[in-house]
Amino acid sequence: METLSTQPETRNVSATPTPPKKRKNGIWRSILKQKYLYLMSIPFVIWLFVFNYLPVWGWTMAFQKYKPAKSFSEQEWVGFKNFVDLFQDERFYLVLRNTLAMSLMGLIAGFVVPITFAVLLNELRGKYFKRTVQTVSYLPHFVSWVVVGGIITKMLSIDGGIVNEVLISLHIINEPIQFMAQGKWFWGIVTASDVWKETGWNAIIYLAAITGIDKELYEAAKVDGAGRFRQIWNITLPGIRTTISVLLIMSIGHLISIGFEKQFQLSNSLLTDYSEVLDMYALNYGINISRFSYGTAISMFTSVVSIILLLTANGIMKKTTKESIM
């Protein structure tokens, strides 16, 4: 008599299908397919490495008592002494105040004015007049700050300066104002000069973003009875929101490293307490008096704070507007 097995048959059934194997030569095929793009990027990668990554090795000077005549192994290591000296220097906090004040003023004016200018320029209907205005507006970008500094100084002079003459002729003031001798005017002068010089150039990218907006949206808005102001508010500005967000994040990253060209050209001995910024402070207290390690510590502080600001701004924008650069 046959005996029947009561145990169920076991089948080797996989719970999830095995994913297909990736081709090993997939990456190489992609590289070969876009080989010319990779070849074109090689010079830029080399430039980026030589001028941006290789100099980071110089940060070691911030932890040394650097002497140019000695080799790297012969340098005296002092740890964080240069940073302690930096944070104990009262001049550093004065310079930091100037840097942040001019940076914030430049950030606000440098965004509001170019965006407004780009939107208004986009509303012009005359093609040739629009191109003429745009060309004239971005020409100052190509003028050196040496020339701009001389122009601004002459315009604000008490001896034949056009600003004082206009104010007197309009009976706003009774006697010329010494703009270039009073520190309270300096931050505003630097901000206004920078806006005049860079507005046209900064507006180019906003104009390019505006041209990418679908024209049918404006036609639909006109059908619904929306005027120009409503079209700007509901179509143009939302259409360039991504561009504004990306540029804002990048500008916040450079909030503390604004250079020193503007301040150096417009400053004088009477305005030092209001004109000196971190980069100029590093130049004066680092290279000019051969305190190379101290100057490196200042630059390192500026770079680290810039990275922190960039990451913070990117994180906030990513959570609030879903826009980010990384």
Side-chain angles (χ1 to χ4, degrees):
M1 190 174 178
E2 294 183 0
T3 58
L4 297 176
S5 176
T6 58
Q7 295 182 354
E9 295 182 2
T10 59
R11 296 180 180 179
N12 187 14
V13 179
S14 177
T16 57
T18 56
K21 295 182 179 179
K22 295 183 179 179
R23 296 179 180 179
K24 295 181 179 179
N25 57 351
I27 297 176
W28 294 108
R29 283 188 178 182
S30 177
I31 293 175
L32 290 175
K33 187 177 180 180
Q34 305 181 26
K35 57 184 177 181
Y36 295 110
L37 292 177
Y38 285 104
L39 288 174
M40 290 173 61
S41 65
I42 288 176
F44 173 73
V45 172
I46 295 174
W47 175 86
L48 187 69
F49 177 77
V50 172
F51 291 98
N52 290 273
Y53 288 95
L54 197 59
V56 174
W57 173 256
W59 280 8
T60 56
M61 293 169 54
F63 306 96
Q64 301 171 344
K65 188 177 181 180
Y66 181 76
K67 300 293 182 182
K70 297 181 178 180
S71 64
F72 180 79
S73 59
E74 296 174 340
Q75 299 296 335
E76 179 185 353
W77 293 87
V78 295
F80 291 93
K81 181 179 182 303
N82 291 310
F83 293 95
V84 173
D85 294 341
L86 175 64
F87 294 126
Q88 289 180 347
D89 187 5
E90 295 181 359
R91 186 73 185 177
F92 166 72
Y93 296 99
L94 178 65
V95 171
L96 185 61
R97 180 206 66 178
N98 298 337
T99 304
L100 292 175
M102 283 183 274
S103 295
L104 290 173
M105 292 173 66
L107 181 66
I108 296 171
F111 262 86
V112 175
V113 177
I115 293 172
T116 305
F117 179 73
V119 171
L120 294 178
L121 195 61
N122 182 66
E123 294 297 315
L124 294 177
R125 293 294 178 256
K127 181 173 63 174
Y128 295 103
F129 179 70
K130 179 179 178 180
R131 290 180 178 177
T132 302
V133 172
Q134 184 178 358
T135 302
V136 172
S137 66
Y138 70 68
L139 284 178
H141 170 77
F142 300 99
V143 181
S144 170
W145 269 110
V146 178
V147 178
V148 173
I151 294 173
I152 299 299
T153 302
K154 183 62 179 176
M155 290 177 61
L156 298 177
S157 173
I158 60 174
D159 185 17
I162 187 173
V163 174
N164 277 309
E165 289 189 355
V166 170
L167 292 177
I168 291 175
S169 63
L170 295 175
H171 303 288
I172 297 176
I173 58 175
N174 296 322
E175 57 182 14
I177 299 175
Q178 295 182 345
F179 290 102
M180 304 307 295
Q182 301 181 38
K184 64 181 181 180
W185 297 104
F186 186 78
W187 296 347
I189 291 172
V190 170
T191 303
S193 303
D194 194 36
V195 168
W196 170 77
K197 188 175 185 296
E198 303 295 339
T199 292
W201 182 260
N202 293 335
I204 293 176
I205 191 168
Y206 297 115
L207 285 170
I210 291 173
T211 56
I213 300 175
D214 190 357
K215 302 301 180 184
E216 294 182 358
L217 295 174
Y218 293 100
E219 297 298 331
K222 290 179 182 178
V223 173
D224 291 339
R228 284 194 174 185
F229 179 78
R230 299 299 301 178
Q231 293 176 33
I232 292 171
W233 186 257
N234 294 312
I235 300 176
T236 305
L237 292 179
I240 62 175
R241 187 184 66 178
T242 301
T243 303
I244 295 174
S245 299
V246 171
L247 293 178
L248 179 61
I249 292 171
M250 296 177 66
S251 298
I252 292 175
H254 292 88
L255 194 64
I256 201 171
S257 54
I258 60 173
F260 65 92
E261 294 86 357
K262 304 184 287 289
Q263 293 79 10
F264 185 78
Q265 296 298 331
L266 295 172
S267 180
N268 55 59
S269 58
L270 299 174
L271 303 173
T272 304
D273 289 344
Y274 291 87
S275 63
E276 192 172 17
V277 292
L278 281 171
D279 289 339
M280 193 182 298
Y281 179 66
L283 179 65
N284 293 333
Y285 286 81
I287 297 177
N288 287 352
I289 59 177
S290 299
R291 295 181 65 187
F292 301 107
S293 297
Y294 190 73
T296 305
I298 300 171
S299 300
M300 186 175 176
F301 167 80
T302 303
S303 300
V304 171
V305 172
S306 297
I307 294 173
I308 294 173
L309 289 173
L310 178 64
L311 295 176
T312 303
N314 184 75
I316 294 174
M317 294 294 288
K318 191 173 183 178
K319 288 183 177 180
T320 55
T321 65
K322 308 301 180 183
E323 304 287 349
S324 66
I325 60 175
M326 2 177 144

